């Protein structure tokens, strides 16, 4: 597998994380450097860790994971997005002013990082079959995801002032939509 192919794979895997990072950027009242760093670290680290786990666990759990990965991602993204929607719609005038601490809470970031990296776990099962060098693949996937997630949160924040106060509703819709997209793609691919 060539470096160009590994980069293309990494970019493809990073798209979900970039979309979720943009939703975080949309919902945050003010974007700080630590937010960008947190998003990049969580998403980049999990996108790198999951193919590594998949590489080593592939033979034992590969068929089970590939049968359920889309459902896990769907449930996690819809749950987080649904919670954002509920809070945004029930929040009255200040709904767009989401608590910064809640947006970047370690538990919330962990759920999002896992949800957006489950497909990377499945990719890890296939790396040996593709002849991809493990270290180069894992590093490329992690760094690419970190960079694109940092760009995504910045894009989301820049769009925020144009979208008004109900950004948490929009962010929730993005996450729910992404969860539905993942589920539909996997169900229609078989």
């Amino acid at each position: 597998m060539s470096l160009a192919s590994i980069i293309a794979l990494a970019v493809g895997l990073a798209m979900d994380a970039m979309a979720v990072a943009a939703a975080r950027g949309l919902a945050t009242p003010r974007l700080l450097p630590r937010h960008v760093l947190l998003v990049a670290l969580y998403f980049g680290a999990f996108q790198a860790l999951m193919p590594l786990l998949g590489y080593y666990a592939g033979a034992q759990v590969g068929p089970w994971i590939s049968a359920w990965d889309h459902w896990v991602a769907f449930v996690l993204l819809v749950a987080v997005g649904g919670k954002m929607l509920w809070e945004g719609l029930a929040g009255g005038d200040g709904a767009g002013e989401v608590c910064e601490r809640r947006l970047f809470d370690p538990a919330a970031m962990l759920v999002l990082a896992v949800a957006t990296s489950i497909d990377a776990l499945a990719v890890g099962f296939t790396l040996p079959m593709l002849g991809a060098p493990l270290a180069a693949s894992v590093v490329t996937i992690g760094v690419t995801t970190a960079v694109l997630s940092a760009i995504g949160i910045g894009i989301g924040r820049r769009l925020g002032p144009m979208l008004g106060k109900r950004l948490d509703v929009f962010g929730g819709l993005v996450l729910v939509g992404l969860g539905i997209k993942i589920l539909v793609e996997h169900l229609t691919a078989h």
Side-chain angles (χ1 to χ4, degrees):
M1 183 173 217
S2 69
L3 180 59
S5 297
I6 294 171
I7 291 171
L9 174 67
V11 169
L13 288 172
M15 289 296 103
D16 290 351
M18 186 178 186
V20 171
R24 292 280 99 166
L26 282 168
T28 189
R30 82 191 147 109
L31 186 61
L32 301 174
R34 71 171 181 229
H35 299 144
V36 176
L37 184 62
L38 274 173
V39 166
L41 285 176
Y42 268 93
F43 292 163
F46 273 85
Q47 285 286 55
L49 177 64
M50 291 299 216
L52 187 63
L53 291 175
Y55 184 87
Y56 288 113
Q60 289 77 23
V61 296
W64 186 85
I65 292 292
S66 66
W68 294 99
D69 64 346
H70 53 284
W71 286 105
V72 173
F74 169 76
V75 167
L76 292 173
L77 289 169
V78 169
V80 172
K83 184 174 184 285
M84 285 177 70
L85 277 169
W86 176 262
E87 291 170 352
L89 294 172
D93 291 338
E97 297 175 15
V98 177
C99 174
E100 171 188 318
R101 188 177 314 139
R102 197 172 63 220
L103 282 173
F104 299 99
D105 175 69
M109 291 301 300
L110 180 65
V111 167
L112 292 172
V114 169
T116 58
S117 65
I118 289 174
D119 54 347
L121 180 67
V123 165
F125 300 138
T126 65
L127 287 176
M129 292 178 270
L130 298 172
L134 180 61
S137 299
V138 167
V139 169
T140 303
I141 291 168
V143 169
T144 301
T145 301
V147 169
L148 291 179
S149 296
I151 291 169
I153 194 169
I155 289 170
R157 186 62 235 138
R158 282 182 183 71
L159 292 176
M162 293 184 284
L163 297 174
K165 288 189 163 207
R166 299 249 180 213
L167 297 177
D168 43 351
V169 172
F170 184 74
L173 288 172
V174 168
L175 295 181
V176 170
L178 186 58
I180 292 169
K181 175 186 160 288
I182 289 169
L183 182 63
V184 168
E185 284 177 353
H186 279 78
L187 292 177
T188 58
H190 296 287

